[in-house]
Amino acid sequence: MQTVQVQAPSHSYDIVIGKNILNDFNLFAPHIGKKAAIVTNTTVAQWYLQPLVKLLQNNGIDAFSIILPDGEQHKNHESLNHIYDSLLANHADRKTTLIALGGGVIGDTVGYAAATYQRGVPLIQIPTTLLSQVDSSVGGKTAINHPRGKNMIGAFYQPKLVLADLNTLATLPEREFSAGMAEVIKYALLGDVAFLAWLEQHIAAIMQKDHTLLAQMIAHCCQMKADIVAQDETEQGIRAHLNLGHTFGHAIEAQMGYGNWLHGEAVAAGMVMAAELSQQLGYIGSDEIERVKNIIRAAHLPDTPPKFSEEEWLAHMRHDKKVDEGKMRFITLKNLGAAQIETLPDVNVLKNVLSKFTA
Amino acid sequence: MQTVQVQAPSHSYDIVIGKNILNDFNLFAPHIGKKAAIVTNTTVAQWYLQPLVKLLQNNGIDAFSIILPDGEQHKNHESLNHIYDSLLANHADRKTTLIALGGGVIGDTVGYAAATYQRGVPLIQIPTTLLSQVDSSVGGKTAINHPRGKNMIGAFYQPKLVLADLNTLATLPEREFSAGMAEVIKYALLGDVAFLAWLEQHIAAIMQKDHTLLAQMIAHCCQMKADIVAQDETEQGIRAHLNLGHTFGHAIEAQMGYGNWLHGEAVAAGMVMAAELSQQLGYIGSDEIERVKNIIRAAHLPDTPPKFSEEEWLAHMRHDKKVDEGKMRFITLKNLGAAQIETLPDVNVLKNVLSKFTA
C-alpha cells in the first residue's frame, strides 16, 4: 500500500493506492459520516457496488446508491439533477458523504454534485480507471459538460480521501489501460527523466499489471501532479505543462469525432507531435524522438496521428483554449523530462511539423 | 463614502457604500476584466442597467447584459441556464467579470453562476435592496432553489468587490426597505447594544433615508457580519447567532405561504418571539421586550406574529433545520446585544411562549 498526501488549499488529504483496499473499512472510517451515497455507473456497479454498500452498511453507515448511465455523453446536467433528486429523496444533509465510484466521468460529475449540494458535502473519490487514478485524483477539478462545450460548468473542490484499488484495473479494458498509460508517460516526459528510465525498464511488467510496480507508478504520478498543482493552483504557469501533447491531441479528437480515439490515444500521438515540434526548435534530436515513440509503442499506444490536411489541423488548434489571441502557445520539451511553455515565433515552425502528418 | 474590508478565505475584498458610486468607473477599474456581463432582473433593469452598461462601454469594457424575470420563484435552474447560455453565446471566458445588479435573488443566482461557470469567474456584487446590502454582501453564500427545497444547490464564493449605492434605495418600495431594517435591528439585538441605542436615536431620520446615517448603518452591519463570518466560516458556532428570530420567522413564512409576509417582516415578529422566549428563561424582563418591540414598530415592522394553533407552530419549527434530531435549538438573548445558542431543556418553555400567539 502506498500513500500520497496532497496539500489542498482548504485541507490536506490522502491518496491511498493498493490491493483490496476497498474492503478495508478502517480507511473510510475517519472520513465518512453516518449517511453516505455511493454514486457509480451501470458498468462499474456490476462489479464493485454491492460489496461496497455491504461494507458500509455492516459498519453502521446508512449507505444508499445512485446509478448513472455509462459514458462521456452522460457527464451532463441530467445526471447531475438525478444525483440531486436522489440525495433529496434520501434526506441527505450537509454531513452526508458522497462517494464517487468510477472513472473520470463519474469523478467529475459526482465531484461537482458534492461541491454544490447544500453548498458542499464531504467527498470520497474511488477512481476505477488508470487514467482517473493518475490524473483526476489530484487538483480538485470537477465539472459537467454543456451542450456548447466540455467542462464548461464546474468548481474546484477537494475530496476528503482518494482510494485507488488496483483490483479495479482487472476489469478495465486493455485499450483503456493503455490510454491511462499515455498520461503516465506524459508525467515522465514533462518533468522526470529518471521516471522515464524506470518506465522503460519496467514497461513489460507494468502492461502485465504487476501490482507492486503499478502502485509505485500511480503514487509517483499523483505525487508529481500534487507538486505541480501546489506550485500553481490557478493554472497560470507550470500547471500548463500537464497539457503536454494536448493541443495536438484535442485536434485529433475533434477531427476524428469524440470517442473514436480515446483521449489517451490522442494525447500519445500528440506527445510525439510535441516532440517533433521540439526537434524543429532545436531542443532535442532524433534519438530522443525515438525514445518517446518507443515507450508509447510499448504501452500499446499510437505513435503517429491520423493524417489530416494542414487546414484541418490549424482550424482545430485555433479553437483550442491554449491558442489564445492568435499567439500559438505550446508545451515543448527543452529536453526529455523538461517541459516548458512556449509561444511560437512563427507559424511556419508549426507547419513544418504538421507537414509530416498531412494527407 | 464608507468602505468595509472583508477577509475571505481566498482573498480580501472591499464593500464600498455611498451615493452615486455606480457612476464612478475608478471603483470598478481594478476589479474588472476586458469583458463583463451585467446580470439583472426586469424591474432593476429599467432604472440602473443602461447607465451602467454605458459607463463600462465608455471605458472600453466589452459589456453586455442578461436580464432575468423578477421574483424568488425565478431563483432556479432555468435562470441559471439562461445565464450560462448567454455567457457562452457571448464567448465569455474565465476572465469575464460577472456583475450581479439587484437584490438577494439576483445576488444568489448570479453569484452561483460566477462560482460555476468555467469553474469560477470574477464577480462584482451590486446589491440594490437594503436587505442585500446589509446581509448577503458578506459571507460568500450563493445558491439557487430546488423544487424540493430553498438554497439546496449552491457554493461558497467570494466577490472581488461589493458596491452598495444608496441611490438604489430610492426606488425600493417602503415595505421592502422596512424588511431590510429587520436584519439591521437583528445585528443590534444579537451583538451590539450600543448600536441598538444609536438606531433608537436615529430611526426616524433613517426611515427618511438620510444618506449619511444609512451609509454608517450599512457599513456597521457589514462589519459585524464580516467579523462573525471570519470567526466561524463553517457555521458551527457564532454564525448561528445570525439566525436570531429565524426559526419563528420561517414558521410564519411557511404557515402564511411564502411571499405573503416578507422575510424581514417574519424575522421582525420572530425576534419578538425570541425575546419572549428569553424572558421565559429569565434572561431579560418586560422593559427589554418593550425596547425590542419599539424599535421594530419604529421601522414600520410587525411586532407580533399572526395567530396559529400550537400544532401549526410546532410542525413548522420541527421542519426547520435548526431544530435537529428532536433537540429544540434556538437563538436566545442573554441580554439585549448578547445572543447565544441554546438547546431548550423542556418543550413546555416553548409552549408557554407560543400560547401568547395561539389562535
Side-chain angles (χ1 to χ4, degrees):
Chain A
M1 201 164 83
Q2 301 257 339
T3 300
V4 176
Q5 194 177 62
V6 181
Q7 295 291 340
S10 49
H11 63 277
S12 72
Y13 66 90
D14 285 344
I15 303 175
V16 182
I17 303 143
K19 263 191 90 157
N20 300 321
I21 57 178
L22 289 188
N23 306 332
D24 186 354
F25 184 73
N26 290 328
L27 293 173
F28 290 89
H31 305 288
I32 199 163
K34 287 178 191 166
K35 187 182 281 219
I38 304 166
V39 192
T40 188
N41 67 35
T42 46
T43 307
V44 175
Q46 61 189 318
W47 293 303
Y48 309 113
L49 179 58
Q50 282 318 312
L52 184 56
V53 170
K54 274 191 191 152
L55 177 77
L56 299 183
Q57 288 179 344
N58 289 343
N59 285 279
I61 310 293
D62 176 10
F64 62 99
S65 57
I66 302 172
I67 302 177
L68 304 177
D70 188 12
E72 170 86 21
Q73 72 272 29
H74 298 292
K75 185 176 153 178
N76 62 13
H77 181 258
E78 279 78 50
S79 293
L80 182 68
N81 255 359
H82 180 63
I83 298 171
Y84 291 151
D85 289 343
S86 299
L87 291 174
L88 285 158
N90 283 281
H91 306 289
D93 65 17
R94 290 178 199 173
K95 291 174 183 169
T96 300
T97 303
L98 257 66
I99 301 176
L101 175 68
V105 170
I106 285 289
D108 281 7
T109 309
V110 181
Y112 184 59
T116 55
Y117 182 71
Q118 298 203 13
R119 298 196 187 97
V121 294
L123 171 68
I124 294 176
Q125 290 276 12
I126 304 180
T128 59
T129 64
L130 180 57
L131 178 63
S132 58
Q133 289 176 353
V134 298
D135 187 52
S136 46
S137 310
V138 185
K141 281 188 176 181
T142 71
I144 58 169
N145 298 330
H146 184 278
R148 286 173 182 262
K150 290 180 75 168
N151 295 324
M152 278 294 135
I153 311 302
F156 286 94
Y157 196 71
Q158 309 295 340
K160 298 288 183 204
L161 173 69
V162 179
L163 295 178
D165 193 323
L166 302 172
N167 288 352
T168 63
L169 301 180
T171 48
L172 189 68
E174 293 300 323
R175 194 178 160 195
E176 287 195 39
F177 183 82
S178 287
M181 285 302 297
E183 301 284 345
V184 173
I185 294 166
K186 185 190 76 175
Y187 286 110
L189 294 179
L190 73 85
D192 190 344
V193 71
F195 181 49
L196 179 61
W198 183 90
L199 280 178
E200 288 167 334
Q201 188 188 342
H202 296 296
I203 188 70
I206 288 166
M207 296 309 289
Q208 294 300 316
K209 308 211 177 91
D210 177 290
H211 277 129
T212 307
L213 292 169
L214 278 181
Q216 288 174 34
M217 179 184 86
I218 293 166
H220 189 80
C221 292
C222 289
Q223 188 66 59
M224 280 188 74
K225 184 162 182 187
D227 291 345
I228 290 169
V229 168
Q231 285 177 62
D232 180 23
E233 272 163 25
T234 52
E235 281 199 303
Q236 302 306 304
I238 190 178
R239 194 163 177 170
H241 294 184
L242 296 170
N243 289 319
L244 177 66
H246 279 61
T247 299
F248 294 111
H250 287 155
I252 296 169
E253 286 181 276
Q255 178 67 19
M256 295 302 285
Y258 281 95
N260 290 310
W261 275 49
L262 294 180
H263 177 70
E265 293 166 343
V267 167
M271 289 191 293
V272 174
M273 296 178 77
E276 298 267 6
L277 179 62
S278 306
Q279 186 183 24
Q280 276 287 323
L281 291 162
Y283 302 143
I284 59 175
S286 52
D287 285 0
E288 283 78 18
I289 302 279
E290 268 318 295
R291 222 175 139 187
V292 171
K293 287 184 176 178
N294 280 337
I295 190 70
I296 282 172
R297 280 194 294 260
H300 311 155
L301 287 161
D303 66 351
T304 190
K307 288 197 187 306
F308 309 138
S309 73
E310 185 184 280
E311 267 172 43
E312 287 167 339
W313 278 118
L314 289 173
H316 288 299
M317 287 191 285
R318 283 203 191 91
H319 276 107
D320 191 274
K321 61 181 177 247
K322 282 163 287 297
V323 185
D324 63 334
E325 295 172 359
K327 286 175 233 149
M328 304 286 267
R329 289 172 76 230
F330 285 86
I331 310 303
T332 56
L333 296 173
K334 192 76 183 172
N335 206 333
L336 297 185
Q340 59 182 7
I341 309 172
E342 176 142 5
T343 303
L344 291 195
D346 182 348
V347 74
N348 288 321
V349 180
L350 176 63
K351 288 182 177 176
N352 285 341
V353 172
L354 294 178
S355 68
K356 298 187 182 180
F357 308 105
T358 300
Chain B
M1 201 164 83
Q2 300 257 341
T3 299
V4 176
Q5 194 178 63
V6 182
Q7 297 289 341
S10 51
H11 63 277
S12 72
Y13 66 90
D14 285 345
I15 304 174
V16 183
I17 303 143
K19 260 190 93 157
N20 300 321
I21 58 177
L22 289 188
N23 306 331
D24 186 353
F25 184 74
N26 291 328
L27 293 172
F28 289 89
H31 305 288
I32 199 163
K34 288 177 190 167
K35 187 181 280 219
I38 305 164
V39 192
T40 188
N41 66 36
T42 47
T43 306
V44 176
Q46 62 190 318
W47 294 301
Y48 307 114
L49 179 58
Q50 283 318 311
L52 184 55
V53 170
K54 274 191 190 151
L55 177 77
L56 299 183
Q57 288 178 344
N58 289 343
N59 285 278
I61 309 293
D62 177 10
F64 62 99
S65 56
I66 302 171
I67 302 177
L68 304 177
D70 188 11
E72 171 88 21
Q73 72 272 31
H74 298 291
K75 184 175 152 179
N76 62 14
H77 181 259
E78 280 77 50
S79 293
L80 183 67
N81 255 359
H82 181 63
I83 298 172
Y84 290 151
D85 288 343
S86 300
L87 291 174
L88 284 159
N90 284 280
H91 306 289
D93 65 16
R94 290 179 199 174
K95 293 174 182 169
T96 300
T97 304
L98 257 66
I99 300 176
L101 174 68
V105 170
I106 285 289
D108 281 6
T109 308
V110 181
Y112 184 59
T116 55
Y117 182 71
Q118 299 203 11
R119 299 197 187 95
V121 294
L123 170 68
I124 295 175
Q125 289 276 13
I126 303 181
T128 60
T129 64
L130 180 58
L131 178 62
S132 57
Q133 289 175 355
V134 298
D135 187 50
S136 47
S137 309
V138 186
K141 280 189 177 182
T142 72
I144 57 170
N145 297 332
H146 184 279
R148 285 173 182 262
K150 289 179 77 168
N151 296 324
M152 277 294 135
I153 311 301
F156 285 94
Y157 196 70
Q158 308 294 340
K160 299 287 182 203
L161 174 70
V162 178
L163 295 178
D165 193 324
L166 302 173
N167 288 351
T168 62
L169 301 181
T171 49
L172 189 69
E174 292 301 324
R175 193 177 161 196
E176 287 196 37
F177 183 83
S178 287
M181 284 303 297
E183 301 285 343
V184 172
I185 293 165
K186 185 190 75 176
Y187 286 110
L189 294 180
L190 73 86
D192 190 345
V193 72
F195 182 50
L196 178 61
W198 184 90
L199 280 178
E200 288 167 334
Q201 186 186 344
H202 296 296
I203 188 71
I206 288 167
M207 296 310 288
Q208 294 300 316
K209 307 212 178 90
D210 178 288
H211 276 129
T212 307
L213 292 170
L214 277 181
Q216 289 173 33
M217 177 184 88
I218 294 166
H220 190 80
C221 293
C222 290
Q223 188 66 60
M224 280 188 74
K225 183 161 182 188
D227 292 345
I228 290 169
V229 168
Q231 285 177 62
D232 181 24
E233 272 163 25
T234 51
E235 281 198 301
Q236 301 307 302
I238 191 178
R239 195 164 177 169
H241 293 185
L242 296 171
N243 289 319
L244 176 66
H246 280 60
T247 298
F248 295 110
H250 286 156
I252 296 169
E253 284 181 277
Q255 178 67 19
M256 295 301 285
Y258 280 95
N260 290 312
W261 275 48
L262 295 180
H263 176 70
E265 293 166 344
V267 167
M271 289 191 294
V272 174
M273 296 178 77
E276 298 267 7
L277 178 62
S278 306
Q279 187 182 23
Q280 276 288 322
L281 291 161
Y283 302 142
I284 59 177
S286 52
D287 285 0
E288 283 77 19
I289 300 279
E290 268 318 296
R291 224 176 138 186
V292 171
K293 286 184 176 178
N294 280 336
I295 190 70
I296 283 172
R297 281 193 294 260
H300 312 155
L301 286 162
D303 66 351
T304 190
K307 290 199 186 303
F308 309 138
S309 72
E310 185 183 280
E311 268 172 42
E312 287 167 338
W313 278 118
L314 289 173
H316 289 298
M317 286 190 286
R318 284 205 191 92
H319 275 107
D320 191 274
K321 61 183 177 246
K322 283 163 286 297
V323 185
D324 62 335
E325 295 172 357
K327 287 174 232 151
M328 305 286 268
R329 290 172 76 231
F330 285 86
I331 310 302
T332 57
L333 295 173
K334 192 75 183 172
N335 206 332
L336 297 186
Q340 58 183 10
I341 310 173
E342 175 141 5
T343 303
L344 291 194
D346 182 347
V347 74
N348 289 322
V349 181
L350 176 64
K351 288 182 178 175
N352 285 343
V353 173
L354 294 178
S355 69
K356 299 188 182 178
F357 308 105
T358 299

